[in-house]
Amino acid sequence: MNGSLAQRAAQGVFTIFSNASSSHSQSPFPAFFVPRVSSFSSKPPPPPSSSSSSVYYTSCSCYCASSLYSIKPKIKAQDYLASPPKMAAVSTRTFLNARSEQELLSGIKKEAQSGNLPAHVAAGMEEVYKNYKSAVVKSGNPKADEIVLSNMSAFLDRIALDVSDPFVFEPHHKAKREPFDYYTFGQNYIRPLIDFKNSYVGNMPLFTEMEERLKKGHNIILMSNHQTEADPAVIALLIEKKAPHLAENMIYVAGDRVVTDPLCKPFSIGRNLICVYSKKHMLDDPSQIEMKKKANTRSLKEMAVLLRGGSQLIWIAPSGGRDRTDPKTGEFVPAPFDPASVDNMRRLVENSGPPGHIYPMALLCYDIMPPPATVEKKIGEKRIISFHGTALSVTPPISFSGGKPEQAKDDYTKVLYDSVTEQYTVLKAAVHGKKGLQASTPKVSLSQPWN
């Protein structure tokens, strides 16, 4: 790859993440939760009604999808995301051998009392267990207790393992599937929270079109809104039956929090990631600003190299963070797209060499885990987690028409955003308006591809 081209491309996207002076204080890319651990069927359960309960999850910064290669030499941990000091190992199979809720909870207490788990981590583990159980049980799934025990045993075991031997992410992290399948674990964890009976996918044939284009070496960009940390898992679960390659091979640009916090890391390990420091936390510690910028430049050069090789799928939320409610209506709406973020990614794709296609994508899943009303810097935000219907949709790719640079950039961003909001309105009518498949329009044909 031409050195100057790679440098220009990487630098262009770099501004998306690290432009601390931008008026958009949030990260430009989404965040998520991810869950071969459970022996339960992958067929979605059909619980009768939605319900919710309070749950604790750590805050995340950002994610976008595709598949990348590492640059050598490897970046040293202290130059990117240094791991915390190791602690004594948790007793072998403390959680995996548990056969009841009592054994799981007593195992947390035992390991905390032994000094193998930090008190705040142990407290978070116990709270997650209780609230996850509440949400799954209230879904009406007849196997709820069995599912909760299986998924939470694996989750607590992975947390404890990482506390004793912290996993350090490289700038480009490939989903870890062996000897423990973190991807399937993440899918199994989120699956019981989705009411598939009341979930929908718009224009499913376009996802098949994407798979065919990827096979031909094309690059695919999904310009999407972003609602919860569970977004990537929700997307994968809704399309995995008909587009398994897309579901498993998306790459997410991940903020530093989701790859450092013990309660997030097990899910992050199961996704393909490009690890960056999000711009909304760039100024948290002035002494680390330069280190963070250099780390981001290295990570984004890897993205440029990957796109140069073709067959990459990248999911981006150019709004700079999660959607929030409209203060006037109280309704969730897609957050406006940042023209600079859209334009930087567009130019990076156009300069990569292989053909590239930018699809507008809409996602509705905030009920599963609504974000806090305002952006929070502290790790450990409270969540309301629910069993609820979800939906996503894409429309055909939109090409850049050119013209005067600044006006063309704004116009192109508006066209993409307008498409997302139009699709979102359809998804909202289907899920919240209870219209289901009847909410389909000439531009958005809804289906349930898992049936």
Side-chain angles (χ1 to χ4, degrees):
M1 179 176 183
N2 181 280
S4 61
L5 174 59
Q7 185 176 10
R8 290 198 306 272
Q11 187 63 35
V13 181
F14 170 59
T15 63
I16 298 177
F17 300 97
S18 62
N19 183 6
S21 64
S22 171
S23 60
H24 295 270
S25 62
Q26 301 178 21
S27 161
F29 295 105
F32 82 115
F33 278 123
V34 212
R36 214 163 210 163
V37 177
S38 174
S39 60
F40 303 112
S41 169
S42 60
K43 184 178 180 180
S49 62
S50 64
S51 57
S52 65
S53 62
S54 174
V55 69
Y56 171 97
Y57 279 112
T58 53
S59 60
C60 310
S61 297
C62 68
Y63 288 89
C64 323
S66 195
S67 175
L68 319 171
Y69 309 112
S70 298
I71 283 180
K72 303 298 181 180
K74 294 181 180 178
I75 299 174
K76 297 179 181 179
Q78 62 266 31
D79 291 335
Y80 184 60
L81 297 173
S83 63
K86 292 185 179 181
M87 298 187 67
V90 170
S91 300
T92 303
R93 301 185 71 83
T94 291
F95 301 111
L96 292 182
N97 286 340
R99 293 295 177 264
S100 67
E101 173 183 299
Q102 182 179 1
E103 290 183 15
L104 275 180
L105 296 179
S106 64
I108 296 173
K109 289 182 172 62
K110 181 186 72 173
E111 297 300 342
Q113 291 170 355
S114 300
N116 299 334
L117 289 174
H120 71 283
V121 174
M125 291 166 73
E126 183 171 348
E127 187 171 10
V128 167
Y129 174 82
K130 292 179 178 179
N131 292 312
Y132 181 76
K133 176 187 176 182
S134 179
V136 177
V137 169
K138 288 180 180 178
S139 74
N141 192 315
K143 293 186 177 181
D145 289 338
E146 187 180 358
I147 291 172
V148 170
L149 181 61
S150 176
N151 287 344
M152 287 305 304
S153 294
F155 183 32
L156 298 180
D157 175 69
R158 293 296 108 180
I159 295 173
L161 173 65
D162 192 74
V163 168
S164 61
D165 186 14
F167 185 90
V168 179
F169 291 81
E170 296 185 26
H172 168 223
H173 166 74
K174 294 183 180 180
K176 191 171 177 61
R177 306 296 299 266
E178 296 178 348
F180 180 88
D181 192 338
Y182 281 89
Y183 171 82
T184 301
F185 154 70
Q187 296 298 95
N188 288 342
Y189 191 89
I190 296 298
R191 183 177 289 110
L193 304 177
I194 297 180
D195 180 0
F196 285 90
K197 183 179 179 180
N198 296 300
S199 295
Y200 308 93
V201 175
N203 301 328
M204 187 66 211
L206 288 178
F207 289 100
T208 303
E209 174 185 285
M210 292 178 202
E211 287 197 321
E212 292 302 315
R213 284 178 163 172
L214 289 172
K215 290 177 183 178
K216 295 178 181 179
H218 296 198
N219 291 316
I220 302 293
I221 307 299
L222 300 175
M223 292 284 184
S224 172
N225 67 312
H226 165 44
Q227 298 209 313
T228 77
E229 289 91 350
D231 285 1
V234 171
I235 292 171
L237 287 164
L238 294 184
I239 67 173
E240 65 180 0
K241 183 73 177 292
K242 293 292 182 67
H245 179 79
L246 299 186
E248 296 191 30
N249 290 283
M250 288 187 177
I251 294 178
Y252 302 86
V253 178
D256 51 291
R257 292 189 169 196
V258 297
V259 296
T260 55
D261 190 281
L263 297 180
C264 274
K265 289 176 70 175
F267 300 105
S268 300
I269 294 172
R271 297 289 165 176
N272 301 306
L273 308 176
I274 288 293
C275 300
V276 300
Y277 288 94
S278 64
K279 70 180 182 181
K280 69 177 180 180
H281 296 294
M282 187 62 64
L283 304 179
D284 287 356
D285 183 347
S287 68
Q288 295 186 348
I289 293 176
E290 287 306 312
M291 179 276 291
K292 291 179 179 180
K293 288 183 177 180
K294 289 179 180 179
N296 282 1
T297 300
R298 293 174 183 135
S299 295
L300 292 163
K301 282 183 178 179
E302 295 213 19
M303 182 186 290
V305 171
L306 285 170
L307 290 171
R308 183 71 174 176
S311 298
Q312 305 304 315
L313 172 64
I314 303 179
W315 178 47
I316 300 173
S319 61
R322 288 172 287 181
D323 299 338
R324 294 300 201 278
T325 56
D326 184 327
K328 295 181 179 179
T329 65
E331 297 286 337
F332 272 85
V333 293
F337 286 0
D338 175 22
S341 297
V342 171
D343 195 58
N344 284 328
M345 196 65 210
R346 175 192 64 78
R347 289 187 290 109
L348 178 62
V349 173
E350 289 183 353
N351 291 331
S352 65
H357 311 276
I358 297 178
Y359 291 75
M361 177 186 215
L363 178 63
L364 187 152
C365 64
Y366 66 83
D367 300 276
I368 294 236
M369 197 180 304
T374 58
V375 177
E376 297 182 5
K377 290 190 176 183
K378 291 183 178 180
I379 290 177
E381 64 187 54
K382 291 278 185 176
R383 290 287 184 247
I384 301 298
I385 189 168
S386 304
F387 168 79
H388 204 281
T390 61
L392 67 87
S393 174
V394 294
T395 51
I398 297 176
S399 299
F400 182 71
S401 60
K404 293 183 179 180
E406 286 304 313
Q407 187 61 48
K409 178 173 66 176
D410 292 342
D411 291 345
Y412 185 58
T413 300
K414 185 177 185 304
V415 171
L416 289 170
Y417 178 74
D418 287 348
S419 175
V420 171
T421 56
E422 182 178 8
Q423 294 177 74
Y424 188 82
T425 299
V426 175
L427 301 182
K428 187 176 177 181
V431 177
H432 291 280
K434 308 298 183 183
K435 292 184 178 181
L437 299 176
Q438 299 303 313
S440 296
T441 68
K443 292 184 178 180
V444 180
S445 176
L446 299 175
S447 66
Q448 296 179 313
W450 44 88
N451 290 333

